[in-house]
PDB file of all heavy atoms in Angstrom:
ATOM      1  N   ASP A 793      -8.588   1.937  -3.475  1.00  0.00           N
ATOM      2  CA  ASP A 793      -7.162   1.683  -3.195  1.00  0.00           C
ATOM      3  C   ASP A 793      -6.708   0.469  -3.960  1.00  0.00           C
ATOM      4  O   ASP A 793      -7.420  -0.490  -4.061  1.00  0.00           O
ATOM      5  CB  ASP A 793      -6.944   1.506  -1.708  1.00  0.00           C
ATOM      6  CG  ASP A 793      -7.204   2.711  -0.874  1.00  0.00           C
ATOM      7  OD1 ASP A 793      -7.501   3.769  -1.507  1.00  0.00           O
ATOM      8  OD2 ASP A 793      -7.094   2.628   0.356  1.00  0.00           O
ATOM      9  N   GLN A 798       2.088  -9.361  -1.194  1.00  0.00           N
ATOM     10  CA  GLN A 798       3.318  -9.569  -0.416  1.00  0.00           C
ATOM     11  C   GLN A 798       3.538 -11.042  -0.176  1.00  0.00           C
ATOM     12  O   GLN A 798       2.567 -11.805  -0.108  1.00  0.00           O
ATOM     13  CB  GLN A 798       3.268  -8.849   0.929  1.00  0.00           C
ATOM     14  CG  GLN A 798       3.010  -7.351   0.869  1.00  0.00           C
ATOM     15  CD  GLN A 798       2.828  -6.806   2.288  1.00  0.00           C
ATOM     16  OE1 GLN A 798       1.714  -6.440   2.650  1.00  0.00           O
ATOM     17  NE2 GLN A 798       3.927  -6.738   3.003  1.00  0.00           N
ATOM     18  N   ASN A 815       4.257  -5.899  -4.310  1.00  0.00           N
ATOM     19  CA  ASN A 815       3.765  -5.641  -5.671  1.00  0.00           C
ATOM     20  C   ASN A 815       2.462  -4.829  -5.565  1.00  0.00           C
ATOM     21  O   ASN A 815       1.574  -5.189  -4.848  1.00  0.00           O
ATOM     22  CB  ASN A 815       3.561  -6.862  -6.473  1.00  0.00           C
ATOM     23  CG  ASN A 815       4.850  -7.509  -6.851  1.00  0.00           C
ATOM     24  OD1 ASN A 815       5.793  -6.837  -7.261  1.00  0.00           O
ATOM     25  ND2 ASN A 815       4.946  -8.871  -6.768  1.00  0.00           N
ATOM     26  N   TYR A 826       2.373   2.955   1.669  1.00  0.00           N
ATOM     27  CA  TYR A 826       2.620   2.998   3.079  1.00  0.00           C
ATOM     28  C   TYR A 826       3.080   1.602   3.602  1.00  0.00           C
ATOM     29  O   TYR A 826       2.620   0.616   3.118  1.00  0.00           O
ATOM     30  CB  TYR A 826       1.291   3.330   3.829  1.00  0.00           C
ATOM     31  CG  TYR A 826       0.842   4.758   3.719  1.00  0.00           C
ATOM     32  CD1 TYR A 826       0.178   5.223   2.592  1.00  0.00           C
ATOM     33  CD2 TYR A 826       1.050   5.625   4.728  1.00  0.00           C
ATOM     34  CE1 TYR A 826      -0.253   6.534   2.470  1.00  0.00           C
ATOM     35  CE2 TYR A 826       0.644   6.931   4.672  1.00  0.00           C
ATOM     36  CZ  TYR A 826      -0.023   7.381   3.538  1.00  0.00           C
ATOM     37  OH  TYR A 826      -0.441   8.692   3.408  1.00  0.00           O
ATOM     38  N   SER A 833       0.105  -8.843  19.092  1.00  0.00           N
ATOM     39  CA  SER A 833      -0.845  -8.323  20.086  1.00  0.00           C
ATOM     40  C   SER A 833      -0.770  -6.824  20.282  1.00  0.00           C
ATOM     41  O   SER A 833      -1.518  -6.298  21.119  1.00  0.00           O
ATOM     42  CB  SER A 833      -0.673  -8.978  21.446  1.00  0.00           C
ATOM     43  OG  SER A 833      -0.926 -10.364  21.318  1.00  0.00           O
ATOM     44  N   LYS A 844       6.842   8.581  -5.132  1.00  0.00           N
ATOM     45  CA  LYS A 844       7.707   8.239  -6.301  1.00  0.00           C
ATOM     46  C   LYS A 844       9.128   8.025  -5.872  1.00  0.00           C
ATOM     47  O   LYS A 844       9.794   7.102  -6.370  1.00  0.00           O
ATOM     48  CB  LYS A 844       7.604   9.329  -7.347  1.00  0.00           C
ATOM     49  CG  LYS A 844       6.252   9.599  -7.940  1.00  0.00           C
ATOM     50  CD  LYS A 844       6.297  10.700  -8.980  1.00  0.00           C
ATOM     51  CE  LYS A 844       4.908  10.961  -9.574  1.00  0.00           C
ATOM     52  NZ  LYS A 844       4.961  12.117 -10.538  1.00  0.00           N
ATOM     53  N   ASN A 845       9.631   8.942  -5.073  1.00  0.00           N
ATOM     54  CA  ASN A 845      11.020   8.941  -4.718  1.00  0.00           C
ATOM     55  C   ASN A 845      11.275   7.950  -3.564  1.00  0.00           C
ATOM     56  O   ASN A 845      10.432   7.638  -2.794  1.00  0.00           O
ATOM     57  CB  ASN A 845      11.463  10.321  -4.268  1.00  0.00           C
ATOM     58  CG  ASN A 845      11.322  11.350  -5.361  1.00  0.00           C
ATOM     59  OD1 ASN A 845      11.502  11.042  -6.536  1.00  0.00           O
ATOM     60  ND2 ASN A 845      10.887  12.535  -4.976  1.00  0.00           N
ATOM     61  N   ASP A 859       8.468   2.576 -12.368  1.00  0.00           N
ATOM     62  CA  ASP A 859       7.111   2.411 -12.858  1.00  0.00           C
ATOM     63  C   ASP A 859       6.102   2.384 -11.747  1.00  0.00           C
ATOM     64  O   ASP A 859       4.896   2.273 -11.987  1.00  0.00           O
ATOM     65  CB  ASP A 859       6.964   1.237 -13.783  1.00  0.00           C
ATOM     66  CG  ASP A 859       7.229  -0.096 -13.052  1.00  0.00           C
ATOM     67  OD1 ASP A 859       7.425  -0.087 -11.878  1.00  0.00           O
ATOM     68  OD2 ASP A 859       7.317  -1.123 -13.758  1.00  0.00           O
ATOM     69  N   ARG A 873      13.919  -7.697  17.620  1.00  0.00           N
ATOM     70  CA  ARG A 873      12.738  -6.930  17.874  1.00  0.00           C
ATOM     71  C   ARG A 873      12.000  -6.539  16.643  1.00  0.00           C
ATOM     72  O   ARG A 873      10.870  -5.959  16.700  1.00  0.00           O
ATOM     73  CB  ARG A 873      13.093  -5.718  18.726  1.00  0.00           C
ATOM     74  CG  ARG A 873      13.452  -6.062  20.179  1.00  0.00           C
ATOM     75  CD  ARG A 873      13.837  -4.824  20.933  1.00  0.00           C
ATOM     76  NE  ARG A 873      15.061  -4.242  20.462  1.00  0.00           N
ATOM     77  CZ  ARG A 873      15.685  -3.186  20.977  1.00  0.00           C
ATOM     78  NH1 ARG A 873      15.099  -2.531  21.948  1.00  0.00           N
ATOM     79  NH2 ARG A 873      16.793  -2.720  20.461  1.00  0.00           N
ATOM     80  N   TYR A 879       2.999  -4.780   6.750  1.00  0.00           N
ATOM     81  CA  TYR A 879       1.944  -4.513   5.788  1.00  0.00           C
ATOM     82  C   TYR A 879       2.333  -3.425   4.796  1.00  0.00           C
ATOM     83  O   TYR A 879       2.784  -2.360   5.217  1.00  0.00           O
ATOM     84  CB  TYR A 879       0.668  -4.053   6.516  1.00  0.00           C
ATOM     85  CG  TYR A 879       0.043  -5.105   7.456  1.00  0.00           C
ATOM     86  CD1 TYR A 879       0.323  -5.104   8.828  1.00  0.00           C
ATOM     87  CD2 TYR A 879      -0.814  -6.076   6.946  1.00  0.00           C
ATOM     88  CE1 TYR A 879      -0.255  -6.058   9.655  1.00  0.00           C
ATOM     89  CE2 TYR A 879      -1.379  -7.006   7.773  1.00  0.00           C
ATOM     90  CZ  TYR A 879      -1.084  -6.993   9.144  1.00  0.00           C
ATOM     91  OH  TYR A 879      -1.652  -7.909   9.980  1.00  0.00           O
ATOM     92  N   GLY A 895      -0.205  -9.112   4.658  1.00  0.00           N
ATOM     93  CA  GLY A 895       1.109  -8.794   5.168  1.00  0.00           C
ATOM     94  C   GLY A 895       2.127  -9.922   5.082  1.00  0.00           C
ATOM     95  O   GLY A 895       1.816 -11.028   4.690  1.00  0.00           O
ATOM     96  N   LEU A 898       7.691 -11.479   9.098  1.00  0.00           N
ATOM     97  CA  LEU A 898       9.129 -11.511   9.132  1.00  0.00           C
ATOM     98  C   LEU A 898       9.648 -12.105  10.427  1.00  0.00           C
ATOM     99  O   LEU A 898       9.274 -11.606  11.511  1.00  0.00           O
ATOM    100  CB  LEU A 898       9.727 -10.100   8.942  1.00  0.00           C
ATOM    101  CG  LEU A 898      11.245  -9.950   9.060  1.00  0.00           C
ATOM    102  CD1 LEU A 898      11.918 -10.587   7.862  1.00  0.00           C
ATOM    103  CD2 LEU A 898      11.657  -8.508   9.161  1.00  0.00           C
TER     104      LEU A 898
END
Side-chain angles (χ1 to χ4, degrees):
Chain A
D793 293 356
Q798 301 175 252
N815 288 318
Y826 285 80
S833 298
K844 296 180 182 179
N845 300 323
D859 62 8
R873 288 178 293 181
Y879 295 97
L898 175 69

